[in-house]
Amino acid sequence: MASFNKIIIVGYLGRDPELKYTPQGTAICDFSVATTERRKDKSGDMQEVTTWFRVSLFGRQAEVASQYLTKGRQVYVEGQLSQRDWTDKDGNTRTSLEVRGNEIQFLSPASETVEQPQTAAAKATAAPSSDTRDARKPQPARQKPRAVEEDEIPF
């Protein structure tokens, strides 16, 4: 019987990608992706739960990702998930979720970044961010919905 390990993540980059090369010349691109979902807690209040993934891409995909991705961009990543336990500088055991990506799609335009998911504590201490969009850039006009004529109704 066969088994497999596959994960699909749609989330936002938490930092700019880092590109490096192995001694053999293979490109490796590392970045973090955050996913956020809303859940009700035991008291019935809505809470945001953010999960962070460390993603590694290899070869040409790594080079392309490092060239076009930046912090805040939304991506689709497919790959294999692994869990790594490690000890931090204070002696605490920590766990990280790591993904060896084998497919990536850029979901947000290069000129558009989105505010990163943060915990409530991080939001309270974060400096105000400036909007990265150019205020002079023309925005697409929204069309008014047109009225539907009676003879267009199919029943």
Side-chain angles (χ1 to χ4, degrees):
M1 179 178 271
S3 64
F4 67 96
N5 174 350
K6 182 175 182 176
I7 185 168
I8 296 173
I9 302 167
V10 176
Y12 295 91
L13 263 68
R15 60 183 167 90
D16 287 338
E18 295 176 17
L19 181 65
K20 53 191 171 197
Y21 291 88
T22 66
Q24 296 78 23
T26 303
I28 303 171
C29 182
D30 294 319
F31 54 92
S32 59
V33 175
T35 61
T36 303
E37 59 183 298
R38 294 176 53 89
R39 300 182 192 161
K40 285 187 179 180
D41 61 14
K42 292 179 182 179
S43 63
D45 295 328
M46 292 301 287
Q47 299 292 321
E48 284 189 353
V49 178
T50 300
T51 304
W52 287 93
F53 299 89
R54 295 175 57 133
V55 178
S56 296
L57 298 172
F58 298 87
R60 182 70 183 133
Q61 277 189 327
E63 293 172 331
V64 170
S66 72
Q67 184 177 358
Y68 292 105
L69 289 179
T70 56
K71 179 179 177 178
R73 296 268 320 262
Q74 188 178 33
V75 294
Y76 167 100
V77 177
E78 216 175 277
Q80 291 78 40
L81 178 68
S82 63
Q83 180 176 315
R84 184 172 65 94
D85 295 326
W86 51 281
T87 305
D88 68 12
K89 63 182 179 183
D90 298 326
N92 300 316
T93 300
R94 310 280 291 188
T95 301
S96 70
L97 298 173
E98 298 181 356
V99 176
R100 180 185 174 114
N102 53 33
E103 184 176 331
I104 186 165
Q105 294 178 22
F106 308 152
L107 299 179
S108 58
S111 62
E112 181 179 311
T113 57
V114 180
E115 181 182 330
Q116 290 300 300
Q118 298 177 349
T119 62
K123 283 182 182 177
T125 60
S129 63
S130 62
D131 190 1
T132 58
R133 292 185 218 166
D134 186 350
R136 294 170 286 153
K137 182 179 176 183
Q139 298 297 317
R142 293 188 181 191
Q143 294 181 343
K144 259 188 176 176
R146 70 176 184 83
V148 177
E149 301 296 324
E150 192 171 287
D151 60 344
E152 292 178 301
I153 301 174
F155 49 89

